[in-house]
Amino acid sequence: DTEVTQTPKHLVMGMTNKKSLKCEQHMGHRAMYWYKQKAKKPPELMFVYSYEKLSINESVPSRFSPECPNSSLLNLHLHALQPEDSALYLCASSQDDLAGTDTQYFGPGTRLTVL
Amino acid sequence: AQSVTQLDSQVPVFEEAPVELRCNYSSSVSVYLFWYVQYPNQGLQLLLKYLSGSTLVKGINGFEAEFNKSQTSFHLRKPSVHISDTAEYFCAVSGSSGYSTLTFGKGTMLLVSP
């Protein structure tokens, strides 16, 4: 099973709302990632968790708050977002290390629209 | 630090024709190279990767790529494309020393028409 699942598939929220994105993998991977992808652009790395600890935060605004409750689950909590935060949010996972050799497995993404 | 340049933003091609998608990289250390494909409204899927060894790498769906260290290139090729190959293709690089994550190129849209 090489599947990464993400819920919801689509999300529309107002600027005052609080919502969460969920990502799950059952491949035993110990590294998990959040990416943001705008239309016609490559994915931009937001956060990396390694062994359930936040390893990399790419200077993401605090209105995005990641959480890794266990090794299979990754959440992204959203609060007071701006319209420019509308994008496809991709979750990925890889075997364990960040040495650069591992394949990252991507979920289908959550299409977020901020009104 | 490393970077990736995909020279073509869009490549139109007819079905059953060969195609080459170009990728050049720069890095101060040895690198690992990847090609990912993204079909419309989907996540990314690995096509192939080069870590070491043979410079010709074969991937899924009939794609292959050749690592050329002297030209710092990792071009993707397919001898005969299908309509279903229409997608965005991303070249990516990660460094081989220390803590490393993927750096993506801007992507090349492959448009296959009948």
Side-chain angles (χ1 to χ4, degrees):
Chain A
D1 180 11
T2 58
E3 189 178 24
V4 175
T5 59
Q6 290 187 245
T7 54
K9 293 189 72 170
H10 301 275
L11 179 62
V12 179
M13 61 186 289
M15 289 189 284
T16 58
N17 292 157
K18 285 186 181 181
K19 297 286 184 183
S20 297
L21 309 185
K22 179 181 172 181
C23 172
E24 202 161 2
Q25 57 88 13
H26 295 288
M27 295 178 277
H29 289 173
R30 304 313 297 267
M32 296 186 77
Y33 312 75
W34 280 115
Y35 288 88
K36 174 183 178 180
Q37 186 179 26
K38 302 283 274 185
K40 308 291 186 188
K41 299 289 187 184
E44 298 174 19
L45 184 65
M46 300 174 72
F47 303 103
V48 182
Y49 274 82
S50 180
Y51 290 85
E52 300 166 44
K53 293 194 184 324
L54 184 63
S55 299
I56 296 175
N57 177 341
E58 292 286 1
S59 303
V60 179
S62 60
R63 58 186 184 268
F64 295 91
S65 175
E67 178 196 19
C68 188
N70 60 57
S71 59
S72 300
L73 195 53
L74 185 66
N75 297 320
L76 185 63
H77 302 298
L78 314 172
H79 174 53
L81 294 193
Q82 303 297 310
E84 59 264 29
D85 295 322
S86 298
L88 181 68
Y89 288 83
L90 293 164
C91 173
S93 69
S94 65
Q95 187 66 40
D96 58 10
D97 66 15
L98 296 178
T101 58
D102 284 350
T103 296
Q104 290 187 25
Y105 293 85
F106 285 80
T110 293
R111 177 79 57 189
L112 175 68
T113 303
V114 182
L115 301 176
Chain B
Q2 54 261 359
S3 66
V4 177
T5 301
Q6 291 184 246
L7 298 167
D8 305 298
S9 60
Q10 192 167 295
V11 172
V13 66
F14 289 110
E15 195 174 20
E16 297 183 12
V19 71
E20 178 179 84
L21 306 184
R22 298 181 291 170
C23 172
N24 287 88
Y25 69 92
S26 67
S27 176
S28 56
V29 298
S30 297
V31 295
Y32 305 117
L33 292 156
F34 303 78
W35 275 100
Y36 281 86
V37 61
Q38 186 174 30
Y39 298 103
N41 300 312
Q42 294 188 29
L44 280 72
Q45 179 184 11
L46 181 73
L47 278 176
L48 48 81
K49 65 181 179 182
Y50 173 78
L51 303 181
S52 65
S54 172
T55 57
L56 182 63
V57 181
K58 293 191 183 297
I60 62 170
N61 301 340
F63 284 94
E64 64 181 33
E66 185 151 20
F67 172 62
N68 188 318
K69 189 174 182 179
S70 62
Q71 297 188 11
T72 62
S73 68
F74 190 54
H75 300 334
L76 181 71
R77 302 185 183 101
K78 186 170 183 178
S80 175
V81 294
H82 302 288
I83 298 284
S84 59
D85 292 322
T86 294
E88 190 84 29
Y89 291 79
F90 292 100
C91 182
V93 63
S94 64
S96 62
S97 65
Y99 223 36
S100 184
T101 56
L102 284 176
T103 300
F104 287 94
K106 292 186 175 181
T108 297
M109 182 68 195
L110 176 63
L111 292 166
V112 183
S113 54

